[in-house]
Amino acid sequence: YGATAEHFAKIGYKNHKHSVNNPYSQFQDEYTLEQIMNAPMVYEPLTKLQCCPTSDGAGAAILVSEDFVRKHNLQAKAVEILGMSMTTDFPSTFDEKSCIKLVGSDMTRKAAQKVYEQSGLGPENVDVVELHDCFSCNEMITYEALGLCPEGKGGAFVDSGANTYGGKVGVNPSGGLISKGHPLGATGLAQCAELNWQLRGEADKRQVKDAKVALQHNLGLGGAAVVTMYRKAQLG
C-alpha cells in the first residue's frame, strides 16, 4: 500500500513521545524521528526503537457486579465492558500467503466487528485505544483491522496525526508495548488499567481529552486476538 520506513518510524516516535508522561512505562525518553530511524536495525525497516523490549511486569483487574458497585459506592470508579470478543487463526491466516494476515489482521478485524455489533458503537465513536504494537508495523496494520482508517490508508492516517493527541483518536497514550513494555501475560491487563484510568480522567499528563469510549486490542500469534470496548459506567 505504499507505506514507507518513515511511516513506521513515526509510530515509534509517537509511542516514545507518549511514554514520557507515563510513570509506569519501562522507557520514558523522547526521541527525534531521526533518532528513531537511525537506531540499530533489527529487521529492515524496523529499528530498535520501533520494537518492543524484553519486559517484566504485572497487572490486575477487579471485575464486579452492579450490586457490588452500588453497595461499596464505587459508581465514580466503575467502568463498563460494552463488548468483548476473541478470535483464533482462520484458514486465511496461512492459506493466502499474506504477511499482514499472518500477523493477525483477519483475527483482529473479525473480533472488532463482533465488538462493534455487541456494543452498538463503531470505530468512529472510540476516543482512546490501547493496541498490540509489538512492532511499529503491527500498529499500522491494526489501525486498518480495527476500522480506525480504511484498508491501505494506514500511512495517511499516521501522516495526518490522527493517532495522537488532538487527532481523531489517541492510540497508545501509555507508550504502547514499544515504550511502556511488553511483559507478555501482563500486557492485556496493563492495557485494561490504562484505559480505565483514561475513562476515569485519572491519566494525568497523558489524559486523552474527554475520553468516553475506549477500545483495547491484544494479540498472541499462533494464535488469538481479543478486542474489548469500555465506557465509564452510567450508574446512578
Side-chain angles (χ1 to χ4, degrees):
Y1 297 114
T4 66
E6 184 169 323
H7 285 129
F8 297 134
K10 284 181 177 179
I11 290 172
Y13 166 79
K14 181 263 298 180
N15 287 346
H16 283 289
K17 185 177 179 68
H18 285 181
S19 74
V20 170
N21 293 318
N22 185 2
Y24 301 104
S25 183
Q26 184 170 348
F27 299 123
Q28 296 174 37
D29 296 318
E30 184 176 350
Y31 300 91
T32 66
L33 182 61
E34 290 72 23
Q35 287 175 313
I36 300 286
M37 296 190 72
N38 294 328
M41 189 65 66
V42 174
Y43 189 89
E44 192 174 2
L46 303 179
T47 65
K48 180 180 178 180
L49 294 176
Q50 300 172 59
C51 303
C52 65
T54 301
S55 309
D56 288 320
I62 301 174
L63 187 64
V64 302
S65 66
E66 286 190 27
D67 288 343
F68 184 96
V69 170
R70 296 181 193 281
K71 180 179 178 180
H72 296 277
N73 295 315
L74 295 172
Q75 291 92 327
K77 295 283 188 179
V79 170
E80 179 183 9
I81 299 173
L82 297 179
M84 177 181 282
S85 178
M86 184 179 82
T87 54
T88 54
D89 287 321
F90 299 114
S92 60
T93 306
F94 308 102
D95 293 347
E96 297 187 20
K97 309 300 181 186
S98 163
C99 288
I100 292 175
K101 293 181 178 180
L102 182 65
V103 296
S105 66
D106 274 4
M107 290 192 292
T108 295
R109 183 173 287 105
K110 186 64 176 178
Q113 288 170 353
K114 289 181 179 178
V115 165
Y116 297 147
E117 290 168 5
Q118 291 169 6
S119 66
L121 300 174
E124 68 279 3
N125 301 116
V126 174
D127 303 304
V128 58
V129 178
E130 283 285 316
L131 60 78
H132 197 279
D133 61 312
C134 45
F135 305 95
S136 58
C137 54
N138 292 72
E139 178 161 332
M140 186 182 291
I141 290 165
T142 304
Y143 295 154
E144 300 178 12
L146 292 174
L148 301 177
C149 67
E151 184 175 347
K153 299 298 183 181
F157 189 75
V158 170
D159 282 338
S160 71
N163 58 351
T164 188
Y165 297 92
K168 179 180 177 182
V169 58
V171 180
N172 289 336
S174 68
L177 282 58
I178 286 173
S179 198
K180 176 193 66 186
H182 181 22
L184 299 184
T187 288
L189 286 169
Q191 293 176 322
C192 174
E194 176 66 27
L195 294 176
N196 273 258
W197 291 325
Q198 289 285 342
L199 291 174
R200 293 171 183 160
E202 297 176 348
D204 199 29
K205 293 180 180 179
R206 65 185 186 283
Q207 181 68 50
V208 173
K209 186 178 179 181
D210 299 326
K212 293 181 173 60
V213 176
L215 193 68
Q216 177 185 353
H217 162 263
N218 198 13
L219 179 73
L221 295 182
V226 180
V227 175
T228 309
M229 184 178 281
Y230 305 94
R231 179 179 62 193
K232 186 81 183 302
Q234 300 175 351
L235 301 173

